[in-house]
């Protein structure tokens, strides 16, 4: 079963006027500055619609967001419909009389996702790993293409063993890199490689 | 001056706050850099007082629960009991269940040691108020799936 987070973009001109005129006990709490003015025509859409404001929220705006570090958002998740209103009346009485389904119904009216759902693994790592390996394999294919079609053959100063031997003999004669390099591997008294 | 819900909440909040222990400046104590850090017992006592205040409303309940969720600690059983009673006064069982989920979450990776202890301490209160734990509701496992906005 899938749910979508939808922003409630209902124009609530009557709501704004109601906020300013109703007695304090009945009006819903609102952190929004738009509700403070009251009177006159509404100029901004109240994005949270009829949803009850229950707190400050993580940034002071009447939004809903699932966060494990800020678990109680500013507004309830769902607007109160007739079904929920019935449950809310029942909620005022003894909670032992509420069935498990009703408690879940009330929970889902206030919250979109439970903690378990917020923290559920997404499997995104498979996408990332697969994408990375795909990119690496493309790189390897490009290298093979270059080797076969682009690069010239290696010169015979590298491929011909006699020429390589002559070059190494020259390095030994000139005492090249005598401390740690190639000439240090040659034993000059015995005339052979050190082992 | 148009009397509206927002100023009523502010007044009620301030009045409720003044009844509590004489703290200065901010509520959550997050700006008290020059003061001595309070001990665990003081923090517990403070939050128990917050939740036990008779005229607590949803705004303050949310605020204190969110502050607790922000502390690097598992709430003491006394705080949990006071919060559950506050939810009962506000007739909001969803907040009570959410708060138990928060406590479970705050246990972190030592949840197997700490959460059974919490349930043992708070169990009588849960039974008395009739609050099911998230496990009893089946909410310790994911039940519903939400489509990621990036996949829509």
């Amino acid at each position: 079963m899938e749910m979508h987070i939808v922003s409630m973009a209902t124009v609530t001109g009557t709501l704004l006027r109601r906020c300013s005129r109703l007695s304090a006990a009945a009006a819903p709490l609102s952190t929004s500055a738009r509700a403070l003015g009251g009177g006159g025509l509404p100029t901004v859409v109240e994005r949270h619609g009829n949803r009850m404001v229950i707190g400050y929220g993580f940034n002071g705006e009447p939004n809903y967001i699932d966060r494990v570090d800020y678990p109680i958002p500013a507004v309830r998740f769902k607007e109160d419909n007739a079904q929920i209103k019935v449950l809310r009346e029942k909620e005022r009485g003894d909670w032992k009389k509420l069935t498990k389904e009703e408690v879940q119904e009330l929970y889902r009216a206030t919250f979109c996702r439970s903690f378990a759902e917020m923290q559920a693994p997404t499997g995104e790592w498979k996408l990332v790993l697969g994408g990375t390996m795909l990119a690496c394999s493309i790189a390897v294919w490009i290298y093979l293409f270059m080797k076969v079609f682009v690069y010239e053959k290696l010169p015979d100063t590298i491929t011909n063993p006699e020429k390589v031997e002559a070059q190494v003999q020259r390095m030994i004669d000139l005492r090249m890199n005598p401390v740690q390099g190639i000439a240090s591997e040659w034993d000059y008294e015995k005339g052979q490689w050190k082992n | 001056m148009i009397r509206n819900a927002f100023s009523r909440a502010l007044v009620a909040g301030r009045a409720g706050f003044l009844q509590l222990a004489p703290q200065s400046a901010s509520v959550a104590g997050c700006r008290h850099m020059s003061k001595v850090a309070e001990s665990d017992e003081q923090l517990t006592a403070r939050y128990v007082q917050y939740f036990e205040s008779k005229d607590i409303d949803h705004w303050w309940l949310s605020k204190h629960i969110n502050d607790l969720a922000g502390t690097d600690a598992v709430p003491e059983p006394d705080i949990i009991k006071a919060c559950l009673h506050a939810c009962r006064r506000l007739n909001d069982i969803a907040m009570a269940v959410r708060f138990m989920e928060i406590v479970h979450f705050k246990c972190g990776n030592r949840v197997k040691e700490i959460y059974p202890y919490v349930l043992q301490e708070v169990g009588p209160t849960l039974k008395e108020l009739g609050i099911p734990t998230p496990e009893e509701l089946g909410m310790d496992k994911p039940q519903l799936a939400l489509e990621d906005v990036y996949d829509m």
Side-chain angles (χ1 to χ4, degrees), chain A residues 14 24 32 36 101 133 150 153 183 195:
Chain A
T14 49
S32 162
L36 296 182
E101 286 74 29
M133 291 203 285
V150 176
K153 293 217 176 339
N195 276 327

Side-chain angles (χ1 to χ4, degrees), chain B residues 43-120:
Chain B
L43 188 124
T44 308
R46 186 160 62 94
Y47 274 99
V48 167
Q49 251 188 326
Y50 288 156
F51 287 125
E52 277 180 351
S53 75
K54 287 291 161 223
D55 57 350
I56 195 168
D57 60 358
H58 269 102
W59 200 98
W60 281 106
L61 183 70
S62 294
K63 170 150 178 64
H64 294 313
I65 292 179
N66 282 323
D67 287 346
L68 272 178
T71 57
D72 185 17
V74 182
E76 287 277 331
D78 289 335
I79 304 179
I80 302 175
K81 287 181 221 173
C83 182
L84 293 174
H85 280 290
C87 291
R88 173 68 265 193
R89 283 200 294 283
L90 286 168
N91 299 320
D92 201 338
I93 195 171
M95 295 286 255
V97 175
R98 186 73 154 188
F99 187 63
M100 291 311 296
E101 281 191 293
I102 291 167
V103 170
H104 179 98
F105 175 71
K106 293 309 289 177
C107 296
N109 57 2
R110 294 174 64 179
V111 74
K112 288 198 178 58
E113 306 165 24
I114 304 177
Y115 195 61
Y117 165 73
V118 167
L119 281 182
Q120 176 197 321

Side-chain angles (χ1 to χ4, degrees), chain A residues 89-125:
Chain A
E89 280 310 309
K90 212 172 165 191
E91 211 181 0
R92 296 164 86 90
D94 192 358
W95 283 348
K96 296 191 190 74
K97 299 209 177 74
L98 288 170
T99 66
K100 293 218 164 65
E101 286 74 29
E102 287 171 341
V103 177
Q104 285 192 332
E105 207 39 61
L106 283 164
Y107 183 93
R108 294 290 175 186
T110 308
F111 300 109
C112 177
R113 283 185 289 174
S114 66
F115 266 72
E117 287 155 11
M118 274 193 249
Q119 296 181 288
T122 55
E124 197 185 349
W125 69 274

Side-chain angles (χ1 to χ4, degrees), chain A residues 11 17 38 59 66-67 69 98 112 119 125 153 157 159 161 177 180 182 189:
Chain A
V11 177
R17 264 173 265 141
N59 63 353
D66 285 319
R67 286 176 65 159
D69 57 340
L98 288 170
C112 177
Q119 296 181 288
W125 69 274
K153 293 217 176 339
T157 49
T159 51
N177 298 330
Q180 285 183 318
I182 193 160
E189 278 102 39

Side-chain angles (χ1 to χ4, degrees), chain A residues 155-172:
Chain A
D156 68 340
T157 49
I158 294 174
T159 51
N160 187 344
E162 289 166 7
K163 294 199 176 176
V164 171
E165 214 178 305
Q167 285 169 68
V168 174
Q169 181 62 50
R170 180 165 182 270
M171 285 188 225
I172 290 167

